[in-house]
Amino acid sequence: MHLAPINQPDTTIRWQGHELRLHGEAALYWPARKLLALADLHLGREGLLRSAGLAMPGATSEADLARLDSLIAHYRPSRLLILGDLLHTRSAAGRNEHWLDELVRLTDVRDVHVTWLLGNHDRPLRLEVPAALQVENRVCIDGLNFSHEPPTANTSSPSPHICGHLHPVLRWRDRFDRWRLPCFQVDPELLVVPAFSRLAGGLETPLTADRVLYPVAEGRVLARAQKSRAQGSGPRAQ
């Protein structure tokens, strides 16, 4: 694996003829459309895990909403696109309504229009959705298709596609340590955004000849990872 260091809060890529910014807080910003996109917040997950008897840090979802607020303050988008799994469980109706109200409050203060693309954790909705949230299954903007899940070989979903759901992770190591890092997965016609929730697990994503991965940690894009024919002396895939 060839790893080119970046170590910046965000980095610009050119994909499908559009300039996009990948941010180390697991969010994508499209400057031309003033659009901020993120996926898999899984709000309320810590409460469900605590109810199952697992020791979990407190206020995790509140911290994630604070991260979102900082991103909105930084980019000042006019539109927020949530690529599914905004909520973690369908059953906690009262608590879910609390999270939706918090999201509406945050985005209303910032004057941001919110579109929520339903994910597998969000369906079917068993609560009243605030009128301020536009709910869709998928949207297409300037030829780019957005949804929660990527298209499959047996579907007629159009390309190019930007989605979440997979929680891509890059596993790599150097001489001293090993990491499993959330990452952006950038293929020729598919771009997968890492899970925004820091409690989310991840799917280890292999490098292929035409795939680029951008691992993120602590609010920074760490590197650009590509497949290389010869192993160098630097960090490499495990």
Side-chain angles (χ1 to χ4, degrees), residues 115-118 123 136-140 145-149 157-158 161:
T115 302
W116 173 14
L117 306 185
L118 295 179
R123 302 188 190 100
E136 305 283 353
N137 286 312
R138 61 180 60 86
V139 296
C140 181
N145 299 281
F146 295 83
S147 67
H148 176 59
E149 299 182 32
S157 298
H161 223 90

Side-chain angles (χ1 to χ4, degrees), residues 24-61:
E25 289 287 7
L28 178 149
Y29 182 62
W30 187 356
R33 300 294 296 187
K34 298 189 70 175
L35 183 149
L36 181 67
L38 47 93
D40 300 288
L41 283 82
H42 291 275
L43 294 177
R45 184 178 188 181
E46 70 274 21
L48 181 68
L49 295 176
R50 278 198 295 268
S51 68
L54 298 177
M56 298 300 300
T60 304
S61 293

Side-chain angles (χ1 to χ4, degrees), residues 34-125:
K34 298 189 70 175
L35 183 149
L36 181 67
L38 47 93
D40 300 288
L41 283 82
H42 291 275
L43 294 177
R45 184 178 188 181
E46 70 274 21
L48 181 68
L49 295 176
R50 278 198 295 268
S51 68
L54 298 177
M56 298 300 300
T60 304
S61 293
E62 286 87 347
D64 287 343
L65 286 175
R67 290 167 53 215
L68 172 58
D69 188 49
S70 295
L71 283 166
I72 293 173
H74 175 69
Y75 285 120
R76 298 187 178 182
S78 59
R79 185 173 185 181
L80 171 64
L81 191 58
I82 298 174
L83 306 179
D85 287 0
L86 170 62
L87 306 171
H88 183 67
T89 177
R90 298 185 293 261
S91 59
R95 192 59 177 157
N96 282 340
E97 288 163 359
H98 162 76
W99 295 124
L100 296 185
D101 289 343
E102 285 296 302
L103 177 65
V104 168
R105 181 195 59 77
L106 184 158
T107 52
D108 184 60
V109 168
R110 299 289 188 183
D111 194 23
V112 179
H113 176 76
V114 183
T115 302
W116 173 14
L117 306 185
L118 295 179
N120 55 296
H121 280 257
D122 303 317
R123 302 188 190 100
L125 288 175

